């Protein structure tokens, strides 16, 4: 009978190295980078089934409804979703998960994993996790190391207590951590057969990790415990208390605990793995053809070699001619063209765009909300045209605007529209006008998504021109709440 493991999925990162697809408003773990599932969905599915309890998710407030929607799409019900008031790195996040788990399952084993990794052989990884459970039950802090296949300088490395010929998933004492090495050091470690890539995946008991914080980071433990104890329940989410959380030191689990603890065990994993840390990794994992080309459905390569061509909008056509070692990624509002050797410098592009005030640095054209999404199609001086999609059974807040009026034209499904005291159904090819200042709401009473075109006119068209009166998603005032 396998030990029951409680997955803890970390889903709060921003993934700037995969810009323009991954942005602060919708980071890479939620995008469909590899196939029809997002990386987050694939991670949740990989850590589900026999031997696994329902997962606990840690994420930010802006992504809480994306998390629930994506989990529901793959029919996984979480044990809890913890909302971090702000990102404080992995140590506080993992500790918050441990303390929340302590309240209902103090003897539990918790498996901490990023939600943006690619591990194609889910069965082999689950077997490696089960191989580590006995060590974790005995109070060891277990880390998983990836069998290296190149002299990678972008990862930290783990030193095993002895060399391994086949890197079998057998627990052994961890001798030490190696910071991101220079190339010569990485080549020596690769050749020596005693080192692994540090994947940032951990297994330990709730008791053992809390005891480690008591020993090595007592101040962090006190503040995180206070934030957990003062947390508020909100529509099935657990919002960690922001005042206490703001006093928590920002630190990784490696620095705060793992590099100081003595009860460390490592389990090698020899299967395929990638953290998709850049477009060069996406190119490798996507499986280049015989000429080294990876092209999306809307991309065409002519006489290209070792090149990634990716167009994200089906109405776009991206064509590359005579390219070698090039990454080209086209979005409706931004295009990246880079040499494959410079893939790690994409984050510099994000910084440069932020410095010049370009919205494309952090936000996608499509803005996701708990009720669905909208996308701006045309923006003028005093008007804006949007496409809005509302999930079945979902409803926008009852709201009004100071500076704009709106025309709604339903193009798919049926909308239930409230304007002041009047409520009516608006079907396909019908329209309705919302005067400036009028209280209004739209709902989708149907079983299929409802799509409409919204034409806004007014002196100010910002998303923060919203006064909310009622909201089923308990958002406050402001653009997103």
């Amino acid at each position: 009978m396998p030990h029951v493991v409680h997955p803890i999925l970390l889903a709060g990162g921003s993934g700037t190295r995969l810009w323009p697809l991954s942005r602060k408003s919708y980071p890479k773990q939620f995008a469909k980078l590899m196939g029809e599932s997002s990386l987050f969905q694939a991670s949740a599915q990989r850590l589900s089934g026999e031997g696994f309890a329902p997962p606990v998710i840690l994420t930010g407030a802006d992504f809480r409804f994306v998390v629930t929607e994506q989990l529901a799409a793959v029919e996984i019900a979480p044990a809890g979703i913890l909302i971090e008031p702000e990102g404080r790195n992995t140590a506080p996040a993992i500790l918050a998960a441990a303390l929340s788990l302590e309240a209902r399952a103090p003897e539990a084993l918790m498996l901490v994993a990023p939600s943006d990794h690619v591990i194609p052989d889910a069965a082999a990884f689950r077997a490696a996790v089960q191989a580590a459970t006995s060590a974790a039950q005995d109070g060891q802090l277990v880390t998983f190391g990836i069998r290296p296949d190149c002299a990678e300088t972008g990862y930290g490395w783990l030193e095993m207590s002895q060399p391994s010929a086949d890197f079998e998933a057998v627990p052994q004492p961890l001798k030490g951590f190696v910071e991101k090495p220079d190339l010569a050091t990485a080549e020596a470690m690769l050749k020596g057969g005693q080192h692994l890539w540090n994947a940032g995946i951990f297994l330990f008991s709730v008791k053992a990790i809390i005891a480690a914080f008591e020993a090595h980071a007592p101040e962090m433990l006190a503040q995180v415990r206070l934030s957990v104890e003062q947390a508020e329940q909100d529509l099935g989410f657990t919002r960690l208390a922001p005042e206490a959380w703001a006093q928590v030191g920002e630190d990784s689990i490696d620095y705060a605990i793992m590099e100081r603890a003595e009860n460390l065990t490592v389990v090698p994993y020899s299967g395929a793995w990638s953290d998709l840390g850049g477009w060069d990794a996406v190119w490798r994992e996507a499986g280049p053809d015989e000429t080294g080309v990876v092209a999306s459905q809307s991309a065409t390569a002519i006489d290209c070699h070792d090149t990634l061509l990716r167009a994200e909008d089906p109405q776009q056509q991206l064509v590359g001619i005579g390219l070698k070692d090039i990454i080209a990624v086209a979005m409706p509002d931004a295009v990246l063209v880079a040499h494959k050797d410079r893939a790690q410098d994409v984050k510099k592009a994000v910084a440069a765009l932020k410095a010049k005030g370009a919205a494309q640095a952090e936000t996608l054209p499509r803005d996701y909300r708990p009720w669905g999404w909208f996308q701006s199609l045309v923006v003028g001086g005093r008007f804006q045209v949007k496409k809005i999609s509302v999930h079945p059974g979902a409803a926008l807040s009852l709201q009004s605007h100071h500076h704009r009026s709106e025309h709604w034209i339903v193009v798919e499904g049926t909308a239930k529209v409230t304007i002041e005291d009047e409520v009516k159904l608006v079907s396909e090819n019908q329209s309705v006008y919302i005067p400036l200042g009028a209280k209004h709401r739209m709902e989708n009473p149907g079983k299929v998504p409802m799509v409409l075109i919204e034409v806004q006119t007014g002196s100010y068209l910002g998303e923060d021109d919203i006064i909310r009166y009622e909201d089923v998603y308990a958002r406050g005032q402001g653009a997103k709440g």
Side-chain angles (χ1 to χ4, degrees):
M1 186 73 179
H3 293 287
V4 175
V5 172
H6 294 251
I8 311 296
L9 285 175
L10 307 179
S14 58
T16 56
R17 288 178 295 179
L18 290 180
W19 184 90
L21 180 64
S22 173
R23 305 189 200 180
K24 185 178 179 181
S25 69
Y26 202 75
K28 70 172 182 176
Q29 60 265 27
F30 302 121
K32 293 180 179 179
L33 271 160
M34 308 292 295
E36 289 304 306
S37 295
S38 72
L39 300 178
F40 172 73
Q41 288 173 316
S43 297
Q45 290 175 305
R46 185 164 56 247
L47 304 180
S48 64
E50 184 180 3
F52 291 95
V56 173
I57 316 297
L58 284 105
T59 192
D62 286 351
F63 310 132
R64 63 196 189 278
F65 293 107
V66 177
V67 164
T68 55
E69 182 180 325
Q70 291 205 354
L71 287 176
V74 293
E75 299 182 340
I76 292 177
I81 299 175
L82 302 184
I83 307 299
E84 297 177 83
E86 56 186 307
R88 308 301 288 167
N89 214 320
T90 55
I94 292 168
L95 178 55
L99 292 171
S100 67
L101 201 53
E102 181 187 38
R104 59 185 176 85
E107 304 296 324
L109 295 183
M110 51 189 285
L111 177 72
V112 178
S115 60
D116 57 358
H117 289 184
V118 174
I119 303 178
D121 192 342
F125 182 74
R126 287 194 285 261
V129 171
Q130 283 299 322
T133 54
S134 293
Q137 288 276 25
D138 291 340
Q140 291 290 299
L141 306 180
V142 181
T143 182
F144 293 85
I146 307 301
R147 179 179 186 167
D149 57 16
C150 66
E152 178 62 58
T153 59
Y155 303 144
W157 292 59
L158 304 170
E159 184 177 2
M160 298 183 288
S161 54
Q162 56 192 28
S164 176
D166 54 8
F167 293 89
E168 188 179 353
V170 175
Q172 62 169 285
L174 176 66
K175 189 172 181 180
F177 292 82
V178 180
E179 294 297 319
K180 294 178 181 179
D182 58 31
L183 183 59
T185 303
E187 289 175 342
M189 289 190 294
L190 177 66
K191 186 177 180 180
Q194 196 167 336
H195 290 81
L196 306 162
W197 291 338
N198 186 355
I201 303 173
F202 308 97
L203 179 71
F204 30 64
S205 69
V206 170
K207 283 184 176 180
I209 193 61
I210 293 176
F213 275 94
E214 287 175 345
H216 305 294
E219 292 182 1
M220 182 178 291
L221 175 59
Q223 285 300 132
V224 173
R225 189 182 290 279
L226 191 61
S227 186
V228 171
E229 289 174 348
Q230 296 176 353
E232 295 183 356
Q233 297 302 310
D234 173 14
L235 296 175
F237 306 106
T238 300
R239 288 183 177 270
L240 299 172
E243 295 82 5
W245 193 257
Q247 303 303 313
V248 176
E250 188 171 346
D251 215 344
S252 71
I253 190 70
D254 280 350
Y255 285 124
I257 300 299
M258 303 302 284
E259 294 185 10
R260 303 179 184 182
E262 295 181 355
N263 53 327
L264 299 178
T265 290
V266 62
V267 172
Y269 178 69
S270 58
W273 168 90
S274 175
D275 69 345
L276 289 189
W279 283 113
D280 52 340
V282 175
W283 170 79
R284 284 194 301 270
E285 292 299 316
D289 66 15
E290 63 276 4
T291 63
V293 170
V294 172
S296 68
Q297 190 170 358
S298 297
T300 302
I302 300 173
D303 295 331
C304 294
H305 298 272
D306 300 325
T307 288
L308 172 67
L309 298 176
R310 185 168 177 140
E312 295 302 318
D313 190 322
Q315 297 186 38
Q316 288 176 316
Q317 287 295 324
L318 174 63
V319 179
I321 302 175
L323 302 178
K324 181 175 175 58
D325 292 325
I326 294 296
I327 292 164
V329 182
M331 298 283 288
D333 65 332
V335 177
L336 168 71
V337 181
H339 194 279
K340 195 140 54 70
D341 290 346
R342 302 294 298 275
Q344 295 303 309
D345 288 337
V346 171
K347 57 187 176 184
K348 293 181 180 179
V350 177
L353 290 173
K354 283 180 67 176
K356 65 192 292 186
Q360 290 91 332
E362 295 187 336
T363 58
L364 285 168
R366 180 172 292 187
D367 197 325
Y368 292 87
R369 298 298 171 90
W371 43 260
W373 54 265
F374 69 82
Q375 185 166 340
S376 184
L377 303 178
V378 181
V379 181
R382 291 179 59 88
F383 75 93
Q384 180 172 206
V385 181
K386 290 181 177 179
K387 180 181 179 182
I388 299 176
S389 179
V390 183
H391 298 315
L396 280 69
S397 60
L398 181 66
Q399 59 185 251
S400 66
H401 310 293
H402 283 305
H403 303 287
R404 70 175 185 255
S405 59
E406 297 172 342
H407 295 261
W408 294 343
I409 305 100
V410 177
V411 294
E412 293 180 25
T414 299
K416 181 181 177 182
V417 176
T418 300
I419 305 175
E420 295 293 353
D421 297 328
E422 182 184 6
V423 181
K424 60 182 178 181
L425 294 178
V426 182
S427 300
E428 288 183 14
N429 300 320
Q430 294 182 331
S431 63
V432 66
Y433 172 67
I434 298 92
L436 185 150
K439 290 183 181 179
H440 61 279
R441 162 182 276 159
M442 77 170 82
E443 305 172 54
N444 181 359
K447 302 294 185 183
V448 296
M450 182 269 289
V451 179
L452 59 83
I453 302 300
E454 176 181 86
V455 181
Q456 303 176 350
T457 57
S459 60
Y460 178 73
L461 306 173
E463 283 303 310
D464 53 349
D465 181 24
I466 295 177
I467 304 168
R468 287 194 178 93
Y469 303 97
E470 297 174 8
D471 184 42
V472 296
Y473 306 108
R475 293 169 293 174
Q477 298 299 331
K480 289 194 176 184

